[in-house]
Amino acid sequence: MSRLKNITPDGVALVPSAFLIDEIVITNKIGETADIQNLVTEFSITESLYSPSLFCSLSVKDNVNLLETLPLYGQETIRISVYRQSGENGPDQRISLEFYLTEYPVFGRPKEQHTQVYTLRGISPHAFRNSQQKISRFWKGPTSDQIVKIYQDAFGQSLNVQGAAISKGQGIINIQPPMQAADWFRRRTFDGQFAPFYLFQTIDGIINLKSHTVIANDQVYDRYIDSRDFRNDVATELDYESRRRRIVDVSSDLNLSKYFPSEKGTFASENNYLDIAQKSFSRKYYSYPGQFPLSSTLEGRSVLEPPPPFEPQILLNNSYLNQSFSAPAPTEQEEEMGANFFSYMEHIATNSSAFEGSFQNYSTSLSSDSIYRLNAFEGVFNTYVHDLVLFGDMDLKAGTKIELEFPRAVDPEQVGQDDLIDRHLSGKYIVTSAIHEFKNREYFVRIRVKRDSFPR
């Protein structure tokens, strides 16, 4: 991969797709190394809100017979270092990560003589070591503390914890890999608003344990605009900022239907609890209106509430007239959605005599007010889904809160120039995954964003 394109030798990027490779070093089983950056035609690094590990993929065009001369045994590590300065006055950005190779899925010999091509895929070192060990022990206390302890004991990794978890209990971790045990605790971890936690690694190498409340109420990282116009001189600071905030491509999944979320208990559910010690049975009903914590969402509004009506301007005799449209009345199905308790049912066995004291077994916390709200968060967090292509940004990570701006799908000359923004599609979103792609000497990032509520 060529080193220079739209970037100075000192590493100052003239456009946000520019970057410099410091090294791509592969190390084999016996400690032999080789910098293969000139053999790599493209590579990507993937992070996700739902994954505690990063993933890398590299395409190699080998005309030096690296497989034999290094050689590769199948127990290699790879170190990737990429850097740049974001524009003339922008901050320095760097990616410096190590991966353990786990797959060599593609190998071929093209028509070009004395050449072979193959793909290398890797995961973070702690994820690789995870498969080599098992844990089993007694636990007691807050579930978030157990996740921190697992990562510290098994991998020597410290976690970036944000959000005050209130879930707790005690029990036995049966024999299983550390990351599997940590995810078991993560699924039972929630904050004071009963919002779930996410355990994920970002491209800066940090492993995060964050609550949905913290992410939703965080500061907006940046605003991105769906625009096709370039109005600034190339290679200027204004041009750099304009490109950095431009949405290159977008595809969307508008999950407006309440059909599938209602099947998961998003809007109403019946939750049944059987205490095997007392031979007692109890039941709780959940209804989204009034019981879902809207303060832990991006916009603080119900997804069952119709969005504010837009008052378009109609061009008539060369002058614009305001024409108001009333919001449609809720349908009968929508009005009853919060009362359809049989749309989803939970059955949880508890044991009030399992342990003495305030710390009961793990199901005690789930038997209070958490399980149905955790289900609801999962359902509403797919209200809108956009897949975006942006110019590269090494500081744009999974778990980041951003703002999107989409133009109205209407001719401005017909409705006026005062307000051209689609207020329904535009608004705040959370980045759930990011694929940082370095290809053809350019750097782009493909992100998936979701929202949990409609804008005001």
Side-chain angles (χ1 to χ4, degrees):
M1 183 179 292
S2 178
R3 291 176 57 87
L4 295 176
K5 183 178 181 180
N6 296 321
I7 192 167
T8 68
D10 295 332
V12 179
L14 304 179
V15 295
S17 61
F19 67 97
L20 283 178
I21 298 177
D22 190 20
E23 62 178 8
I24 302 179
V25 174
I26 188 168
T27 303
N28 66 11
K29 172 185 176 182
I30 58 177
E32 296 175 330
T33 64
D35 191 338
I36 62 171
Q37 60 176 291
N38 292 325
L39 304 181
V40 175
T41 58
E42 62 182 87
F43 66 96
S44 65
I45 301 172
T46 302
E47 54 180 323
S48 172
L49 195 66
Y50 307 106
S51 173
S53 171
L54 299 174
F55 302 89
C56 76
S57 178
L58 303 93
S59 296
V60 179
K61 184 178 181 180
D62 182 6
N63 52 16
V64 297
N65 202 26
L66 181 71
L67 282 172
E68 181 183 20
T69 57
L70 186 54
L72 301 185
Y73 294 89
Q75 300 181 52
E76 286 72 39
T77 63
I78 195 158
R79 187 170 65 253
I80 300 174
S81 181
V82 183
Y83 69 97
R84 71 177 183 188
Q85 180 181 331
S86 303
E88 284 190 21
N89 301 309
D92 291 335
Q93 293 185 329
R94 175 176 289 273
I95 297 173
S96 184
L97 296 165
E98 184 181 37
F99 296 92
Y100 280 48
L101 297 186
T102 56
E103 295 181 78
Y104 306 76
V106 176
F107 177 84
R109 288 183 174 271
K111 294 182 179 179
E112 185 178 350
Q113 195 173 11
H114 310 306
T115 302
Q116 55 193 1
V117 295
Y118 44 89
T119 300
L120 307 175
R121 292 179 183 168
I123 59 178
S124 298
H126 70 275
F128 185 89
R129 293 196 294 269
N130 174 69
S131 62
Q132 314 298 315
Q133 54 184 312
K134 300 289 188 294
I135 63 171
S136 178
R137 60 173 173 81
F138 171 78
W139 68 275
K140 179 179 180 179
T143 54
S144 58
D145 290 353
Q146 300 306 314
I147 300 173
V148 172
K149 179 175 174 56
I150 288 173
Y151 271 77
Q152 182 62 52
D153 293 348
F155 312 121
Q157 291 272 8
S158 298
L159 300 188
N160 173 34
V161 181
Q162 295 188 35
I166 65 171
S167 48
K168 60 184 180 179
Q170 61 180 317
I172 301 294
I173 301 175
N174 58 12
I175 301 174
Q176 57 186 304
M179 289 175 64
Q180 182 177 328
D183 190 63
W184 185 90
F185 282 109
R186 196 270 314 164
R187 295 194 304 270
R188 289 157 175 80
T189 301
F190 49 88
D191 62 17
Q193 298 296 320
F194 302 101
F197 276 70
Y198 304 103
L199 180 61
F200 60 103
Q201 186 177 23
T202 45
I203 200 167
D204 52 12
I206 296 174
I207 304 175
N208 305 272
L209 180 63
K210 288 187 180 182
S211 74
H212 190 97
T213 303
V214 168
I215 296 175
N217 289 280
D218 202 357
Q219 295 293 321
V220 172
Y221 171 71
D222 216 331
R223 180 168 57 93
Y224 299 91
I225 305 170
D226 184 24
S227 174
R228 303 295 183 267
D229 297 331
F230 288 81
R231 301 181 179 179
N232 301 300
D233 294 333
V234 177
T236 63
E237 188 173 350
L238 288 176
D239 177 67
Y240 188 97
E241 287 301 309
S242 175
R243 290 174 184 266
R244 187 176 68 84
R245 292 188 173 94
R246 180 173 289 108
I247 298 174
V248 179
D249 193 18
V250 58
S251 60
S252 305
D253 184 3
L254 307 183
N255 294 319
L256 297 177
S257 171
K258 306 303 185 288
Y259 176 78
F260 294 107
S262 63
E263 288 185 325
K264 299 179 180 179
T266 301
F267 305 112
S269 63
E270 178 186 300
N271 303 271
N272 303 288
Y273 308 96
L274 177 64
D275 189 333
I276 61 177
Q278 302 296 326
K279 302 298 188 293
S280 62
F281 175 81
S282 61
R283 177 184 292 125
K284 287 189 177 182
Y285 294 101
Y286 160 74
S287 178
Y288 176 85
Q291 287 187 269
F292 185 80
L294 297 177
S295 60
S296 293
T297 63
L298 287 168
E299 303 287 356
R301 296 182 75 246
S302 167
V303 295
L304 295 179
E305 179 183 349
F310 163 57
E311 297 182 353
Q313 292 181 317
I314 305 300
L315 181 62
L316 181 64
N317 296 329
N318 295 321
S319 62
Y320 293 103
L321 300 177
N322 288 329
Q323 180 176 347
S324 298
F325 291 86
S326 300
T331 65
E332 181 180 346
Q333 292 87 349
E334 289 174 333
E335 289 180 338
E336 296 180 353
M337 196 162 290
N340 294 331
F341 302 114
F342 296 132
S343 61
Y344 183 83
M345 301 179 70
E346 285 277 4
H347 299 272
I348 298 178
T350 64
N351 186 353
S352 59
S353 299
F355 300 99
E356 295 181 356
S358 60
F359 285 91
Q360 296 296 316
N361 61 342
Y362 72 88
S363 63
T364 304
S365 58
L366 292 178
S367 65
S368 58
D369 296 318
S370 61
I371 184 64
Y372 42 79
R373 287 191 174 99
L374 292 175
N375 291 334
F377 269 103
E378 181 181 354
V380 299
F381 197 27
N382 287 287
T383 302
Y384 273 0
V385 180
H386 297 297
D387 291 314
L388 310 175
V389 178
L390 306 174
F391 285 97
D393 186 347
M394 300 178 194
D395 292 327
L396 181 60
K397 301 182 285 288
T400 301
K401 178 179 172 181
I402 65 174
E403 191 170 352
L404 302 182
E405 188 175 289
F406 293 98
R408 289 199 173 105
V410 62
D411 187 348
E413 295 183 358
Q414 298 299 318
V415 297
Q417 300 283 345
D418 292 339
D419 194 353
L420 303 178
I421 305 303
D422 187 323
R423 298 185 183 277
H424 192 45
L425 284 176
S426 304
K428 303 180 184 69
Y429 289 82
I430 294 174
V431 179
T432 59
S433 66
I435 304 175
H436 302 263
E437 293 185 337
F438 303 84
K439 182 180 181 180
N440 297 327
R441 296 181 295 164
E442 290 190 302
Y443 168 31
F444 292 90
V445 56
R446 297 179 179 271
I447 64 172
R448 169 163 289 188
V449 297
K450 297 182 179 181
R451 68 169 20 160
D452 54 20
S453 52
F454 294 123
R456 295 183 180 276

